[in-house]
Each structure stands twice: as C-alpha cells, then as structure tokens.
C-alpha cells in the first residue's frame, strides 16, 4: 500500500494548487511559468517539482478538480421539479459560482479558448452526457407546455454566458459598476427577470 501523504505534504500540495490557480487565472496557461507559481506559493521550484511533474501536471490537476465543481449545479437540476423554479435555481447557482469562484471560472474559460487541449476528454466523458440528459429534460418540459419553447441547448448556453460573464469579465464589470452590491444583487435580479420572462409559457 502506498504511504499516505503527511500533513505537511498535503498542506504544501494545497498551497501549490492555490498559487497555481492564482497564476493560471491571471496569465493563462501559456503565460504562466513554474517560477511564477513557486513565487506565489512561497516555495522553491525544486519543491514544486517534488509534488508535481511540471506545469501541465498542475494545470490538469486543477482542471480535473474544477470539472466536478462545475458540473454540480447542472446535476442538481431536478427533472421532477417545477421547471421554471429549477431553471431559475440553476441560474442563481451559476451566478453564485461566478461571484464566489471567479478564478476557477477564468481558468476554465482560458482552457476552452485554447481549444480545450487538456480538458477535451472530460468534456466528452463528463459534460456531454449530462448536457444531453438535461437538454432532454428541458425539452420534455417544453413539450408539456410548462415552459416556453426554445432550443434547450442554446438556453443553457445563454445561462452560462450571462452568469459566467461576471467572473470572466470582472475587470470590466468592476470598472463599469464599482458598487459591489449593485453589481451582485442587480445581476441576480436582472437575470431572474430575464429568464422568468423567457421561460414563461
């Protein structure tokens, strides 16, 4: 049996991943270096390489952890729930994630913008089946007249676009709306109004 990592090893590994999240979300994969990650973590580069094989290993580890977090809100959508309530709850969960986990959102966005070279298999194996299942659920809701008819895939795309905007374009929204309360609660109120009207049968 492999020896379990010590508390110090666990702490250092978490420290490296936290530092890498900051670096990758700020500079993208290509613009980031192990030296930057080491400086951010307050560790030496050889110490980083003791725990990870290299920059790509750290990046893949972060993305793998993130994928589970990113899928959870869609998994929580209840096929037997009230459709408008379920979809609005999904919108709110995605917005909360954008506000609370902006670095993670930018990490994911940067990977997709590069063509998902490291995340591609996860998109195929994890996201695609869940996406197909939930779009089928939404289509059934539309077929029974519980919500207005539209393309379920593009409905989900629009939810992603309007919620993740507050993380991926934070540098812009924070300048244009410096009032944090107005930015966050205003976004929630607006998106609730937008999707309520869009979904109403």
């Amino acid at each position: 049996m492999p020896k379990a990592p010590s508390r110090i090893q666990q702490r250092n590994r978490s420290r490296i991943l936290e530092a890498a999240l900051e670096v990758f979300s700020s500079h993208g994969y290509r613009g980031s270096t192990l030296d930057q990650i080491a400086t951010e973590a307050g560790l030496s580069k050889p110490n980083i390489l003791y725990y990870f094989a290299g920059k790509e290993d750290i990046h893949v580890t972060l993305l793998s952890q993130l994928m589970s977090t990113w899928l959870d809100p869609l998994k929580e959508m209840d096929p037997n729930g009230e459709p408008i309530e379920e979809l609005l709850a999904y919108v709110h969960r995605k917005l909360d994630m954008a506000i609370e986990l902006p670095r993670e959102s930018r990490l994911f966005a940067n990977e997709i913008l590069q063509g998902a070279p490291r995340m591609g298999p996860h998109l195929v194996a994890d996201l695609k089946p869940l996406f197909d299942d939930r779009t089928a659920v939404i289509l059934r809701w539309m077929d029974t007249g519980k919500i207005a008819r539209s393309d379920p895939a593009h409905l989900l795309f629009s939810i992603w676009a309007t919620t993740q905007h507050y993380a991926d374009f934070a540098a812009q929204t924070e300048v244009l709306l410096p009032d944090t309360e107005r930015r966050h609660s205003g976004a929630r109120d607006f998106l609730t109004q937008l999707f309520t009207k869009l979904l109403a049968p």
Side-chain angles (χ1 to χ4, degrees):
M1 292 289 291
K3 185 179 179 181
S6 68
R7 279 181 293 183
I8 292 177
Q9 289 173 324
Q10 290 175 338
R11 186 175 66 227
N12 283 345
R13 186 177 171 86
S14 296
R15 191 168 160 186
I16 293 166
L17 290 173
E18 173 65 21
L21 176 59
E22 183 66 30
V23 172
F24 285 137
S25 67
S26 298
H27 304 288
Y29 179 78
R30 293 175 185 170
S32 300
T33 67
L34 281 176
D35 287 328
Q36 289 172 316
I37 294 170
T39 299
E40 183 70 26
L43 298 169
S44 68
K45 186 174 176 179
N47 209 334
I48 301 287
L49 292 172
Y50 173 81
Y51 293 97
F52 294 95
K55 183 174 82 167
E56 183 171 2
D57 185 23
I58 300 172
H59 196 247
V60 169
T61 299
L62 281 171
L63 287 171
S64 298
Q65 292 177 352
L66 174 60
M67 196 65 190
S68 176
T69 302
W70 232 238
L71 294 181
D72 283 345
L74 196 54
K75 289 178 180 177
E76 292 171 14
M77 187 185 295
D78 183 1
N80 299 313
E82 199 286 317
I84 292 182
E85 289 181 6
E86 290 299 321
L87 285 163
L88 287 179
Y90 180 59
V91 170
H92 295 158
R93 286 194 293 270
K94 289 294 291 179
L95 181 62
D96 288 344
M97 285 181 65
I99 292 170
E100 295 166 10
L101 304 172
R103 296 178 304 169
E104 288 82 349
S105 182
R106 289 193 290 271
L107 179 79
F108 187 79
N110 282 328
E111 171 70 5
I112 299 301
L113 286 170
Q114 292 175 26
R118 288 157 290 277
M119 205 64 180
H122 288 286
L123 298 180
V124 173
D126 301 322
L127 178 57
K128 185 64 166 70
L130 179 61
F131 179 82
D132 288 344
D133 178 78
R134 290 304 186 257
T135 53
V137 168
I138 294 170
L139 184 60
R140 286 199 299 272
W141 289 340
M142 292 174 179
D143 287 341
T144 56
K146 294 180 178 179
I147 55 175
R149 185 167 293 281
S150 63
D151 186 314
H154 290 286
L155 173 61
L156 289 182
F157 293 161
S158 68
I159 292 172
W160 297 348
T162 53
T163 55
Q164 290 170 212
H165 176 88
Y166 292 94
D168 301 342
F169 289 84
Q172 175 175 270
T173 58
E174 288 169 5
V175 169
L176 300 178
L177 282 179
D179 184 330
T180 303
E181 175 63 20
R182 183 184 172 196
R183 194 167 63 248
H184 293 171
S185 64
R188 188 180 183 92
D189 292 344
F190 175 78
L191 292 179
T192 298
Q193 180 183 29
L194 175 69
F195 285 104
T196 297
K197 290 185 175 181
L198 176 67
L199 296 168

